[in-house]
Amino acid sequence: MAFEIILMIIIAYLCGSLSGAIIICQLMKLQDPVQHGSHNPGATNVLRISGKLPALLVLLFDMLKGAIPVYIAYRLGISPFFLGIIGISACLGHIFPCFFHFRGGKGVATALGMMMPIGLDFTGCFVLTWLTTLLLTGYSSVAAIVGFLLAPFYVWLFKPELTLPVTMLSCLVIIRHNSNIMRLFKGEEPKSFIRKRHKLY
């Protein structure tokens, strides 16, 4: 089993290193997300510079590269703790991709993808928290930070054996948002969308 675990950790990292934003933008002949917008190769930046369809494709791509290795490991009978470690490896691949000069995204979509095969219950709580925060604030970065702050609590409620790896993952994702946190304090963080206000006559 040790060999299978090590092999899946390597596979997960390599899968994570496939940047959905860069690959899809190249295939669709769109602007390079590393060179435009926030320079972050993720779905949010692709949404800003190229629109909804490319961003949706990037989101699905990045989720799948987290979900597939974890699901394969689950089918192999690997224990829940190491499923979490394998998921973290996929996120590390997204954040530090060996195929793209180790310059990657924030890991939010990949982290969401890795959680889905091992617990739809706490994944649902995370998605609900993310969506609610996004709708209330308009900031995808704030939604991600709040979601991952609460993710270990959700996991502890439903699958406590996964609390440690998910806590590690949450810390990693939040640390990757340090530049967003600084921009939020300075009032310089761009919103993902602006809620329309209707005047009362």
Side-chain angles (χ1 to χ4, degrees):
M1 186 57 70
F3 173 77
E4 286 87 348
I5 292 172
I6 293 171
L7 179 62
M8 288 308 306
I9 287 173
I10 294 171
I11 290 173
Y13 172 78
L14 293 176
C15 286
S17 291
L18 298 170
S19 175
I22 296 176
I23 292 171
I24 287 172
C25 286
Q26 286 180 349
L27 290 174
M28 298 180 72
K29 301 186 185 304
L30 302 171
Q31 296 182 87
D32 184 351
V34 177
Q35 302 296 328
H36 296 85
S38 65
H39 308 290
N40 178 61
T44 300
N45 192 33
V46 172
L47 175 64
R48 292 192 188 108
I49 65 175
S50 299
K52 294 179 181 179
L53 178 59
L56 178 60
L57 294 175
V58 171
L59 178 65
L60 293 174
F61 187 105
D62 287 347
M63 287 177 62
L64 284 173
K65 71 185 186 183
I68 290 172
V70 172
Y71 180 73
I72 293 172
Y74 170 77
R75 298 294 296 178
L76 290 173
I78 292 174
S79 66
F81 175 80
F82 285 107
L83 289 179
I85 298 300
I86 290 165
I88 290 174
S89 298
C91 292
L92 285 172
H94 178 83
I95 295 169
F96 305 108
C98 61
F99 303 130
F100 298 98
H101 311 290
F102 300 97
R103 293 174 57 194
K106 302 295 173 65
V108 176
T110 305
L112 175 60
M114 65 79 68
M115 287 192 292
M116 292 179 67
I118 54 180
L120 290 176
D121 37 23
F122 60 78
T123 302
C125 290
F126 173 88
V127 171
L128 183 60
T129 301
W130 185 88
L131 283 173
T132 302
T133 308
L134 179 63
L135 291 172
L136 289 174
T137 68
Y139 293 103
S140 62
S141 56
V142 174
I145 292 166
V146 172
F148 280 102
L149 280 173
L150 293 174
F153 173 69
Y154 294 147
V155 173
W156 176 76
L157 286 177
F158 296 104
K159 290 195 175 179
E161 67 272 19
L162 292 172
T163 303
L164 179 58
V166 171
T167 300
M168 294 166 59
L169 174 63
S170 295
C171 290
L172 178 65
V173 173
I174 291 170
I175 289 171
R176 281 292 291 173
H177 281 79
N178 63 328
S179 59
N180 302 84
I181 294 170
M182 294 301 295
R183 286 196 296 269
L184 284 165
F185 278 119
K186 294 177 181 178
E188 299 173 354
E189 177 76 349
K191 288 192 173 186
S192 298
F193 74 94
I194 299 174
R195 296 175 63 184
K196 293 182 179 179
R197 297 179 182 272
H198 299 281
K199 293 182 179 181
L200 296 177
Y201 295 97

